[in-house]
């Protein structure tokens, strides 16, 4: 097995960087003969280890896929429930995405299906939009085409082909995490521990079994593959063919990740910052960093072309940042020369130049494209990090959602219960200390050692792969701490990072050396004993619970929503347009195929404005005003939900009706403080008052359906 991607102490020759010396130490292994050839026994053992490790990786991936598929089946009794119940189980935006898969399958031909997506007039009433431009649904298009051309229709229902594909991607995800940890530590035992941690921390590492069509469940496996490929790419002395193949894997995984998730640009930006930090500190090979910048830009631009020149991608910060870095490196060619103060000065100017260029390029692109689609994100970030309060409806809608809040503290309790968080911190701190020392050495020039006749003192080294994964886990950890929805990017990598450290020769050598107990024998024993003991303990503790979980049988039960969907299909025209909450309307489109006024894909400014207007059904507005607003969007029916009108899930100030009151300048309901300048409304709350069947309301709205949860009103046709 190869040694890990971390720290070592070694003498250096003049002109060689610390990160390079760590790799060169490989040639000093004791299983190498004096003529440079590896003994045949060592080759056989290496091949045997590679085969066994590969078999374990694939087996764990397949078992994980089977595990989450079984949990999904047991939780919903998916194989036994009706088709409408299966579709309702795809909640909120999941249902919207799946509806395009269903739409493509129902199309008379692939060509007609694609035409209907490009010229869609059912997702937003009175509008024709390009779904392939607006949303990341190429995966649904690809799967639908694949299902049509493969001879599997007689054996596999379309919904199973869809969900099994997503569960299959979990196998790819686990294998990628396994390989990354293996590459870093040099032993597949590390990959085994990473995969096991991922599985037993399932609550915090994935949510695929209950939000199957969510974009992140498509994207994150490809992101994990990309990280594994980058980790391999950063190994020095790769053969040209291996380097080209690795670059191809990086490009394909970057492209697929970007194609399948609308938040790709923000993840790519953080990754670009990782590369920028490490390159500035001279901890990565500059040539490879430049190639990775170019791959990011090329992948995003290709996605932009496939999405009919989506303006959000062109105006993204990551495109502007990467272009600015490449320009700045062209201007500042001698960035990595000189002493400590000289280097710090150059580094400060470099950062300032890149920052200014990024802002200039980004503002220039946005003005040319008249881009405003992502402004809600920056309003949200401004309010979230305390740069003034806001009454903006869209920003407050995000701020009040738990998924966009801070990472709850109980997350760390669960991660600590599996020892993952403890191991992560145990590994993180020594590597961070090492990284700080290496950065100082590189900036001060102390990494360049004197000639052999003037041997200097030993220096600490950090391999490029470990350096990349360190900054990656730190930055994505900060993202997860600030936004709970993004924790899945961090917790899965936490499994990789913690397992790599526990199986690393150099990590244990660093720790034992600090307490004056360092010997090769102790390191060899500890680096295998600790992970094996950890695996045995975790298996003993969590295996019975996993088996109990697999034996728990539940059943999907939502009779009110099923009744609503069946009524809509049976009692309304196929061309009828429905208004209501974003989450419910996604299900209406999937289950009934009716036209929507609004939907959960919130990345378009005009849609956000329309959603706010539709949501006036839960505000304090007159019936005439609500009617005129809904009719302006071509609405035929409006669905009111008691769970929103009388919401108790959120506290006062974060209920949907409160957000609407604040945005409209009205005092909120209930006891408590109100923001200054809010005034009482001249009208009662619409969703409450309409149920009284007063003449002022029946003039415009006629109730046509009602159950314990939903109230459907038909809008009268006034001349």
């Amino acid at each position: 097995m190869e040694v890990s991607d971390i720290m070592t102490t070694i003498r250096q020759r003049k002109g060689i960087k610390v990160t390079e010396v760590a790799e060169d130490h490989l040639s000093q292994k004791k299983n190498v003969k004096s003529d440079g050839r590896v003994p045949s026994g060592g080759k056989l053992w290496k091949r045997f280890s590679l085969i066994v490790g590969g078999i374990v990786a694939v087996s764990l991936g397949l078992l994980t896929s089977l595990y989450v598929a079984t949990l999904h089946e047991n939780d919903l009794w998916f194989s036994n429930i009706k088709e409408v119940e299966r579709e309702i189980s795809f909640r909120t935006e999941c249902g919207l995405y799946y509806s395009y898969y269903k739409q493509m399958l129902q199309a008379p031909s692939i060509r007609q299906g694609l035409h209907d997506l490009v010229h869609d007039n059912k997702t937003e009433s009175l509008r024709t939009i390009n779904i392939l431009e607006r949303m990341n649904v190429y995966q649904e298009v690809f799967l639908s085409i694949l299902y049509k051309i493969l001879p599997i229709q007689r054996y596999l229902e379309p919904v199973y082909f869809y969900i099994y594909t997503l569960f299959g991607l979990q196998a790819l995800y686990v294998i990628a995490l396994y390989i990354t940890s293996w590459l870093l530590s040099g032993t597949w035992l590390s990959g085994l521990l990473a995969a096991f941690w991922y599985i037993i921390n399932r609550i915090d590492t994935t949510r695929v079994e209950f939000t199957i069509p969510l974009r992140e469940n498509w994207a994150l496996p490809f992101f994990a593959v990309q990280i594994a490929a980058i980790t391999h790419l950063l190994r020095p002395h790769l053969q040209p063919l291996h380097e080209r193949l690795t670059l191809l894997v990086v490009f394909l995984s970057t492209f697929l990740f970007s194609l399948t998730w609308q938040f790709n640009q923000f993840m790519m930006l953080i990754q670009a910052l990782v590369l920028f930090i490490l390159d500035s500190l001279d901890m990565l090979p500059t040539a490879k960093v430049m190639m990775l910048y170019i791959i990011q830009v090329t992948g995003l631009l290709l996605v932009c072309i496939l999405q009919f020149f989506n303006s959000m991608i062109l105006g993204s910060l990551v495109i502007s940042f990467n272009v600015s870095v490449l320009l700045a490196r062209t201007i500042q060619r001698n960035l990595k020369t000189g002493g400590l103060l000289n280097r710090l000065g150059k580094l400060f100017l470099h950062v300032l130049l890149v920052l200014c260029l990024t802002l200039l390029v980004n503002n220039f692109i946005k003005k040319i494209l008249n881009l405003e689609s992502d402004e809600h994100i920056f309003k949200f970030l401004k309010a979230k990090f305390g740069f003034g309060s806001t009454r903006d409806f869209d920003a407050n809608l995000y701020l009040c959602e738990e998924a966009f809040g801070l990472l709850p503290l109980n997350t760390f309790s669960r991660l600590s219960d599996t020892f993952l968080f403890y191991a992560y911190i145990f590994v993180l701190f020594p590597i961070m200390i090492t990284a700080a020392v290496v950065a100082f050495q590189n900036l001060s020039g102390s990494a360049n050692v004197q000639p052999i006749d003037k041997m200097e003192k030993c220096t600490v080294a950090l391999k490029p792969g470990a350096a990349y994964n360190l900054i990656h886990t730190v930055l994505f950890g900060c993202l997860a701490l600030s936004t709970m929805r993004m924790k899945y990017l961090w917790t899965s990598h936490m499994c990789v990072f913690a397992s790599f450290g526990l199986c690393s020769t150099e990590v244990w050598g660093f720790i034992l050396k600090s307490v004056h107990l360092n010997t090769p024998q102790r390191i060899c024993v500890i680096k295998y004993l600790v992970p094996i003991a950890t695996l045995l303990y975790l298996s003993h503790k969590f295996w019975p619970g996993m088996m109990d979980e697999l034996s728990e049988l539940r059943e999907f039960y939502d009779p009110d929503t099923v009744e609503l969907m069946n009524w809509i299909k049976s009692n309304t025209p196929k061309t009828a347009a429905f208004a209501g909450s974003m989450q419910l309307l996604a299900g209406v489109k999937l289950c009934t195929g009716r036209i929507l006024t609004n939907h959960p894909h919130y990345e378009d400014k005009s849609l956000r404005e329309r959603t706010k207007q539709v949501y006036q059904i839960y505000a304090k507005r007159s019936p005439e005003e609500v009617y005129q607003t809904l009719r302006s969007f071509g609405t035929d029916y409006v669905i009111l939900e008691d769970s929103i009108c009388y919401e108790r899930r959120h506290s006062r100030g974060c209920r949907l009706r409160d957000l609407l009151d604040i945005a409209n300048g009205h005092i909120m309901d209930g006891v408590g403080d109100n923001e200054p300048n809010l005034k009482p409304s001249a009208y009662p709350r619409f969703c409450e008052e309409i149920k009284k069947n007063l003449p002022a309301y029946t003039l415009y709205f006629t109730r046509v359906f009602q159950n314990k949860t939903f109230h459907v009103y038909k809008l009268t046709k006034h001349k």
Side-chain angles (χ1 to χ4, degrees):
M1 297 184 188
E2 299 176 8
V3 295
S4 75
D5 278 332
I6 181 62
M7 302 164 292
T8 184
T9 55
I10 181 172
R11 296 183 186 272
Q12 301 167 311
R13 297 182 181 179
K14 184 175 181 180
I16 302 177
K17 296 293 180 187
V18 179
T19 50
E20 296 171 348
V21 174
E23 296 290 347
D24 292 338
H25 186 57
L26 287 170
S27 63
Q28 300 177 15
K29 286 297 169 184
K30 62 183 179 181
N31 65 341
V32 179
K33 290 184 178 181
S34 59
D35 60 357
R37 291 178 296 177
V38 180
S40 58
K43 282 186 177 180
L44 288 174
W45 172 250
K46 186 175 180 179
R47 289 174 184 173
F48 175 75
S49 177
L50 189 65
I51 292 170
V52 172
I55 292 172
V56 172
V58 173
S59 301
L60 282 172
L62 294 175
L63 286 172
T64 303
S65 178
L66 180 63
Y67 177 57
V68 293
T70 305
L71 289 176
H72 175 259
E73 167 64 25
N74 291 354
D75 192 49
L76 300 176
W77 202 2
F78 200 75
S79 60
N80 188 64
I81 58 179
K82 299 176 182 178
E83 184 67 19
V84 65
E85 292 175 310
R86 291 176 178 176
E87 292 177 347
I88 291 171
S89 71
F90 298 140
R91 303 286 187 180
T92 65
E93 61 185 293
C94 298
L96 181 67
Y97 298 132
Y98 184 79
S99 72
Y100 298 117
Y101 171 72
K102 180 180 177 181
Q103 180 178 320
M104 281 290 296
L105 290 175
Q106 293 176 342
S109 67
I110 294 173
R111 183 175 182 179
Q112 184 61 45
L114 291 172
H115 178 273
D116 292 342
L117 288 179
V118 175
H119 304 89
D120 181 275
N121 55 13
K122 288 190 173 183
T123 302
E124 296 178 16
S125 57
L126 303 183
R127 287 179 183 169
T128 299
I129 63 173
N130 186 341
I131 298 298
L132 295 180
E133 176 194 0
R134 183 80 72 80
M135 305 181 196
N136 299 72
V137 294
Y138 269 101
Q139 49 267 52
E140 277 74 21
V141 172
F142 174 75
L143 272 193
S144 63
I145 295 173
L146 200 61
Y147 185 81
K148 281 189 172 185
I149 63 177
L150 292 176
I152 58 174
Q153 289 88 344
R154 293 177 56 188
Y155 314 104
L156 194 65
E157 295 177 63
V159 66
Y160 277 105
F161 182 65
Y162 187 92
I163 66 173
Y164 286 166
T165 300
L166 268 298
F167 294 145
L169 281 177
Q170 282 295 298
L172 178 65
Y173 198 179
V174 169
I175 291 170
L177 297 176
Y178 182 106
I179 291 173
T180 305
S181 186
W182 187 358
L183 287 169
L184 288 169
S185 67
T187 169
W188 57 261
L189 181 62
S190 171
L192 174 61
L193 182 56
F196 196 69
W197 258 327
Y198 176 85
I199 295 168
I200 64 175
N201 288 284
R202 175 180 52 82
I203 294 175
D204 295 299
T205 54
T206 183
R207 48 180 176 169
V208 66
E209 75 270 19
F210 59 90
T211 59
I212 298 173
L214 207 61
R215 302 299 84 179
E216 68 189 46
N217 294 327
W218 286 97
L220 292 187
F222 298 120
F223 194 50
V225 171
Q226 188 222 41
I227 295 169
I230 290 175
T231 302
H232 185 262
L233 177 69
L234 293 176
R235 290 188 161 198
H237 315 309
L238 283 180
Q239 295 180 10
L241 177 61
H242 291 172
E243 184 171 308
R244 285 194 292 269
L245 289 174
T246 305
L247 284 170
L248 178 62
V249 174
V250 173
F251 171 75
L252 290 175
S253 55
T254 301
F255 167 70
L256 291 172
F257 169 73
S258 302
L259 186 67
T260 52
W261 198 16
Q262 70 269 29
F263 292 144
N264 57 62
Q265 53 176 297
F266 304 106
M267 305 308 111
M268 291 290 101
L269 177 61
I270 294 177
Q271 190 174 63
L273 289 173
V274 173
L275 297 172
F276 179 73
I277 291 169
L278 292 169
D279 182 44
S280 298
L281 298 176
D282 212 7
M283 298 172 74
L284 292 184
T286 300
K288 291 182 179 180
V289 171
M290 296 300 109
M291 285 189 287
L292 292 173
Y293 284 139
I294 293 170
I295 284 174
Q296 277 195 345
V297 173
T298 306
L300 286 169
L301 289 179
L302 184 56
V303 170
C304 180
I305 293 171
L306 287 174
Q307 290 193 271
F308 296 82
F309 296 94
N310 185 302
S311 58
M312 276 193 69
I313 296 176
L314 289 173
S316 64
L317 276 173
V318 64
I319 294 285
S320 303
F321 178 80
N322 285 9
V323 170
S324 300
V325 172
L326 294 172
L327 288 173
R329 289 307 301 266
T330 303
I331 296 170
Q332 294 179 298
R333 292 182 180 276
N334 61 342
L335 187 63
K336 299 183 178 182
T337 59
L340 178 61
L341 294 178
N342 192 5
R343 288 285 300 274
L344 287 175
K346 289 180 180 180
L347 182 58
F348 174 77
L349 291 175
H350 182 62
V351 172
L352 189 62
L353 177 61
V354 170
L355 181 62
C356 293
L357 282 174
T358 300
L359 295 176
L360 287 172
V361 171
N362 192 251
N363 287 330
F364 177 72
I365 293 174
K366 286 186 174 180
K367 284 186 178 180
I368 290 179
L369 299 177
N370 193 26
L371 178 61
E372 297 178 317
S373 297
D374 58 354
E375 64 177 6
H376 65 298
I377 297 173
F378 295 103
K379 287 181 180 178
F380 160 69
L381 292 174
K382 181 180 176 182
K384 182 178 179 68
F385 294 109
F387 296 104
S389 59
T390 180
R391 291 184 181 178
D392 182 78
F393 176 75
D394 300 321
N396 284 329
L397 197 62
Y398 279 109
L399 286 171
C400 287
E401 280 299 319
E402 183 182 5
F404 291 94
L406 299 176
L407 189 65
L409 292 177
N410 60 7
T411 305
F412 299 104
S413 300
R414 291 191 298 270
L415 295 176
S416 299
D417 192 45
T418 63
F419 286 165
L420 173 59
F421 187 65
Y422 295 137
Y424 178 76
I425 295 299
F426 175 77
V427 172
L428 182 65
F429 276 109
I431 300 181
M432 286 183 68
I433 294 170
T434 304
V437 173
V438 170
F440 177 78
Q441 290 174 171
N442 291 344
L443 291 176
S444 63
S446 61
N448 298 328
V449 183
Q450 301 299 321
I452 298 177
D453 57 336
K454 297 182 179 179
M455 299 298 280
E456 295 284 343
K457 62 181 181 180
C458 293
T459 56
V460 176
L462 185 68
K463 295 183 181 179
Y468 171 81
N469 280 273
L470 169 65
I471 306 302
H472 178 101
T473 195
V474 169
L475 292 193
F476 278 95
C478 293
L479 177 66
L481 291 172
S482 66
T483 308
M484 188 187 77
R485 181 174 178 177
M486 300 301 171
K487 73 175 181 178
Y488 303 101
L489 290 151
W490 183 43
T491 49
S492 58
H493 193 263
M494 187 187 291
C495 300
V496 170
F497 201 77
S499 61
F500 134 65
L502 291 187
C503 297
S504 169
T505 299
E506 286 75 19
V507 167
W508 285 112
F510 179 86
I511 293 171
L512 292 176
K513 184 173 289 185
S514 65
V515 293
H516 307 290
L517 294 174
N518 183 35
T519 65
Q521 293 78 14
R522 286 198 183 104
I523 294 173
C524 186
V525 170
I526 291 176
K527 79 168 187 175
Y528 290 111
L529 181 62
V530 171
I532 290 173
T534 303
L535 279 168
L536 290 174
Y537 175 78
L538 293 177
S539 300
H540 172 74
K541 183 176 181 180
F542 292 100
W543 186 261
M546 292 172 66
M547 293 300 101
D548 291 342
E549 194 176 30
L550 289 173
S551 64
E552 290 181 7
L553 302 177
R554 302 183 185 89
E555 183 179 359
F556 176 86
Y557 185 74
D558 190 355
D560 290 347
T561 306
V562 171
E563 184 185 11
L564 172 66
M565 298 305 171
N566 287 333
W567 180 87
I568 292 174
K569 284 196 290 186
S570 303
N571 297 277
T572 65
K574 291 184 178 180
T575 57
F578 279 78
S581 69
M582 297 183 289
Q583 297 83 355
L584 179 63
L585 289 186
V588 169
K589 184 180 188 308
L590 171 58
C591 298
T592 71
R594 299 305 188 261
I595 299 172
L596 312 182
T597 58
N598 56 303
H599 54 81
H601 195 270
Y602 215 54
E603 316 309 320
D604 180 75
K605 184 180 180 182
S606 61
L607 176 67
R608 292 195 297 271
E609 292 173 348
R610 175 184 280 211
T611 298
K612 180 182 175 183
Q613 292 302 311
V614 170
Y615 275 8
Q616 297 303 312
I617 59 178
Y618 296 108
K620 298 172 182 177
R621 295 294 192 185
S622 69
E624 181 180 6
E625 185 179 359
V626 172
Y627 175 83
Q628 291 175 348
T629 299
L630 294 177
R631 286 303 299 163
S632 70
F633 301 135
T635 307
D636 298 306
Y637 296 87
V638 58
I639 307 173
L640 295 173
E641 300 170 62
D642 287 346
S643 59
I644 298 178
C645 190
Y646 307 107
E647 183 183 357
R648 295 180 180 179
R649 184 169 70 94
H650 290 105
S651 60
R652 184 177 184 271
C654 266
R655 300 168 298 189
L656 180 61
R657 62 179 188 267
D658 297 334
L659 302 183
L660 290 164
D661 290 341
I662 293 171
N664 295 336
H666 297 154
I667 292 175
M668 294 182 290
D669 293 339
V671 179
D673 297 331
N674 287 281
E675 291 187 18
N677 303 323
L678 294 181
K679 299 177 181 179
S681 173
Y683 302 98
R685 193 165 303 281
F686 176 83
C687 64
E688 296 176 355
E689 206 70 11
I690 192 175
K691 296 169 187 174
K692 298 177 182 179
N693 291 324
L694 299 175
Y697 290 83
T698 56
L699 179 64
Y700 301 104
F701 303 94
T702 303
R703 184 160 56 197
V704 291
F705 174 84
Q706 176 185 6
N707 63 20
K708 292 184 295 183
T709 305
F710 304 105
H711 303 261
V712 181
Y713 293 86
K714 183 177 181 179
L715 278 68
T716 58
K717 299 290 179 76
H718 289 284
K719 293 185 179 180

